[in-house]
Amino acid sequence: MLTWKNDDELFAIMRRDLYSAVIGDILDQMGRYHQFLPMEIQPIREDMVVCGRAMTVLEEDLPQIGEPVPSEPTFGYMLDALDGLQKNEVYICSGSSPDYAVVGELMCTRMQACGAVGTVMNGPHRDTRGILELDFPCFSRGRYAQDQAPRGRVTAWRVPIDVGDVHVCPGDIVFGDLDGVVVIPREVEAEVISRAWEKATGEKTVGKAIRAGMSAADAFKKYGIL
């Protein structure tokens, strides 16, 4: 039986043994059909994996370019959100238009210093070379250097947000790799991870059997996995 004592152990297991497809399969089996973020959200380098708890950030466009609300600072509450990050968290942001970057090198530098394990943007990133040099997992809709300062602001953090069809709550597990980013609701995480680990282990057995000559039909009949 798969067990873990804390998030450090849990996320180490997930990074070592799991992948987005097997997690998504289990969520489908549990009737959670809308847990993958839009397919356009991709890692900025193919081998990047993000795995941690959602620190949700809500962004919005300014009513008029260059005119922030007088009572709020530039970027809104983005700096507070950055400084409030904790170990094993993922800075996950949504709500803005795709017309400007919502994360860059200095932001990722601060995230990394706070112990965060990655960032997921429902929008573009910039400073690609700098983020790659940090080796900090970053998932976004693409590269685009246009700045958010005169165009958008953070209005809240640690609040529920929507990323495409996925409702993300603070503390949900965010797992992303080359095939996509999937969100595991906190209330079902233990069951999802245990079942995903069992399926991933079973797939290795099936793969070995197929390589040894077993047909796909016989493998599915015997193991129920394909």
Side-chain angles (χ1 to χ4, degrees):
M1 179 179 178
L2 184 65
T3 60
W4 56 88
K5 296 179 181 177
N6 51 48
D7 278 355
D8 288 337
E9 290 189 6
L10 169 60
F11 298 143
I13 291 169
M14 293 181 70
R15 290 189 189 96
R16 184 190 68 215
D17 297 332
L18 301 186
Y19 40 95
S20 60
V22 74
I23 294 171
D25 288 352
I26 298 303
L27 286 162
D28 281 348
Q29 291 174 16
M30 295 172 63
R32 306 269 182 157
Y33 299 119
H34 303 289
Q35 297 304 133
F36 270 98
L37 305 190
M39 63 184 297
E40 293 82 5
I41 299 176
Q42 293 286 321
I44 68 172
R45 194 180 67 218
E46 291 188 352
D47 64 342
M48 284 184 167
V49 174
V50 63
C51 181
R53 295 202 177 274
M55 201 287 275
T56 52
V57 178
L58 183 63
E59 177 116 7
E60 71 174 12
D61 298 339
L62 292 176
Q64 187 171 340
I65 290 179
E67 294 188 7
V69 176
S71 62
E72 295 182 5
T74 302
F75 302 119
Y77 300 105
M78 185 189 77
L79 302 180
D80 298 301
L82 281 173
D83 289 339
L85 276 162
Q86 299 176 15
K87 181 182 177 183
N88 287 324
E89 287 190 325
V90 177
Y91 185 101
I92 179 169
C93 179
S94 189
S96 63
S97 70
D99 297 331
Y100 52 89
V102 286
V103 70
E105 178 185 0
L106 292 179
M107 290 178 66
C108 288
T109 300
R110 180 56 181 157
M111 294 176 198
Q112 195 172 57
C114 289
V117 291
T119 181
V120 176
M121 300 287 108
N122 190 15
H125 73 278
R126 67 181 197 168
D127 304 327
T128 305
R129 289 188 179 89
I131 298 173
L132 289 172
E133 288 177 3
L134 290 172
D135 196 27
F136 187 72
C138 177
F139 288 64
S140 80
R141 285 181 173 265
R143 303 184 297 272
Y144 192 45
Q146 187 154 264
D147 191 19
Q148 70 173 307
R151 299 175 177 86
R153 65 186 178 200
V154 170
T155 60
W157 72 101
R158 297 194 187 281
V159 297
I161 62 173
D162 293 315
V163 185
D165 293 331
V166 184
H167 190 64
V168 187
C169 292
D172 288 347
I173 291 179
V174 179
F175 186 96
D177 57 22
L178 181 59
D179 289 331
V181 182
V182 63
V183 175
I184 307 173
R186 191 161 195 163
E187 65 269 18
V188 295
E189 66 181 40
E191 180 179 358
V192 171
I193 293 161
S194 293
R195 289 176 59 179
W197 186 85
E198 290 173 1
K199 188 174 191 292
T201 302
E203 286 183 351
K204 292 178 182 178
T205 300
V206 173
K208 184 177 180 180
I210 291 175
R211 286 190 294 272
M214 182 178 285
S215 70
D218 287 343
F220 187 74
K221 182 178 179 180
K222 181 174 181 178
Y223 299 106
I225 298 173
L226 197 65

